[in-house]
């Protein structure tokens, strides 16, 4: 059974369950004379009886951001000429990003100018952040096609935002808890009991890694898909939960 949340994929959970032995199945309620035992009513859980389960889950999420870097360079004998040369190309790059709906806050421009012998060398780095990978590829292809060798279009870098990673880590823990609770219900139903409230919930282990697994890797992927697969994050979580056991309520007889 695989679990998925949007672009996130889950794996088969591994769970074990144990019915914890009870030292005393009868709890004591002293009366006024200090003597007497009373068994709990069917609706009351018996103290000391619990079911302990562990559950695990694995989820994955592809990157949700791509960073495209471009370098514009020029070398001229005068400062004015080198600035004008770079500005024409820079203006075109910024125009293309605006036409593709890239917001201004997602574009960063860094300029550097220095003297090299008797000339001036200027470099401009443009960093563009995309959440739409198709749009990113279209911008990259267009700039490669329209601009000359003085502009370098770098290979895009795919990554996750902090928010998406935190969401993935929370979800995998919740899935592991749900798997453990489901197994506890199955175990108790098998022995004619019912699961009560949780007594202890503990995340015992969590692992996180980046890159394709053998199951997700495909031999005929394109370069872009391979980079996305390599940037995909996998997270596993293993939890331990102890539930109290309550007697299963008998159905009411029809009158």
């Amino acid at each position: 059974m695989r679990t998925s949340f949007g672009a996130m994929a889950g794996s088969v959970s591994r769970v074990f369950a144990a019915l914890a032995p009870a030292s005393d199945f009868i709890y004591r309620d002293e009366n006024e004379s200090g003597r007497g035992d009373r068994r709990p009513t069917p609706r009351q859980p018996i103290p000391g009886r619990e079911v302990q389960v562990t559950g695990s889950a694995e989820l994955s999420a592809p990157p949700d951001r791509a960073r495209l870097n471009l370098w514009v360079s020029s070398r001229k004998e005068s400062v004015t000429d080198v600035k004008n040369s770079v500005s024409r190309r820079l203006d075109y790059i910024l125009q293309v990003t605006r036409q593709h709906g890239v917001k201004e806050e997602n574009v960063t421009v860094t300029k550097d100018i220095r003297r090299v012998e008797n000339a001036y060398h200027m470099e401009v780095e443009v960093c563009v952040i995309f959440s739409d990978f198709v749009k990113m590829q279209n911008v990259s292809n267009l700039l490669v096609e329209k601009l000359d060798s003085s502009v370098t279009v770098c290979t895009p870098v795919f990554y996750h935002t902090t928010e998406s990673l935190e969401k993935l880590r929370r979800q995998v823990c919740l899935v592991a808890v749900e798997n453990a609770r489901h197994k506890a219900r199955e175990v108790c139903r098998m022995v004619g009991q019912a699961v009560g409230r949780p007594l202890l919930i503990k995340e015992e282990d969590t692992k996180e890694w980046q890159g394709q697994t053998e199951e997700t890797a495909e031999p005929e992927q394109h370069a872009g898909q391979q980079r996305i697969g390599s940037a995909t994050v996998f997270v596993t979580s293993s939890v331990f939960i102890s539930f109290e056991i309550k007697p299963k309520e008998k159905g009411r007889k029809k009158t």
Side-chain angles (χ1 to χ4, degrees), residues 49-158:
R49 299 186 65 198
E50 61 185 66
V51 57
Q52 299 176 350
V53 296
T54 64
S56 63
E58 177 184 306
L59 296 180
S60 64
D64 61 331
R65 293 292 186 275
R67 180 173 63 250
L68 181 65
N69 284 66
L70 305 102
W71 290 90
V72 185
S73 62
S74 181
R75 185 172 180 175
K76 300 291 182 180
E77 293 183 357
S78 70
V79 173
T80 302
D81 290 342
V82 77
K83 286 184 177 179
N84 290 339
S85 176
V86 169
S87 295
R88 288 193 298 270
R89 294 165 177 80
L90 176 60
D91 291 343
Y92 180 76
I93 293 172
L94 298 179
Q95 177 185 345
V96 169
T97 59
R98 287 193 297 268
Q99 290 174 346
H100 284 78
V102 179
K103 296 181 179 180
E104 185 176 348
E105 58 264 28
N106 291 327
V107 180
T108 304
V109 178
T110 305
K111 300 179 180 181
D112 177 69
I113 185 171
R114 59 185 180 274
R115 292 199 64 167
V116 179
E117 297 178 352
N118 295 325
Y120 292 90
H121 183 80
M122 185 172 183
E123 286 186 341
V124 175
E125 180 185 15
V126 183
C127 178
V128 189
I129 304 299
F130 294 89
S131 57
D132 186 331
F133 298 164
V134 174
K135 183 184 297 183
M136 180 273 300
Q137 194 63 60
N138 291 337
V139 170
S140 177
N141 292 342
L142 180 60
L143 294 176
V144 170
E145 178 184 351
K146 297 297 184 181
L147 296 176
D148 57 28
S149 59
S150 64
V151 178
T152 301
V153 181
C154 300
T155 301
V157 176
F158 297 94

Side-chain angles (χ1 to χ4, degrees), residues 189-207:
R189 183 163 57 228
M190 182 181 298
V191 295
Q193 304 293 307
V195 173
R197 61 186 178 87
L199 303 174
L200 174 67
I201 301 177
K202 179 182 179 182
E203 187 174 33
E204 293 191 316
D205 183 48
T206 179
K207 294 180 181 179

Side-chain angles (χ1 to χ4, degrees), residues 1-42:
M1 176 181 68
R2 296 182 68 88
T3 307
S4 62
F5 292 82
M8 301 179 182
S11 70
V12 178
S13 63
R14 299 175 298 276
V15 181
F16 78 84
L19 292 175
S23 59
D24 187 4
F25 287 170
I26 302 176
Y27 68 79
R28 304 184 181 280
D29 183 15
E30 295 186 357
N31 52 28
E32 295 180 357
S33 62
R35 295 177 300 173
D37 296 333
R38 179 173 64 86
R39 288 185 176 273
T41 63

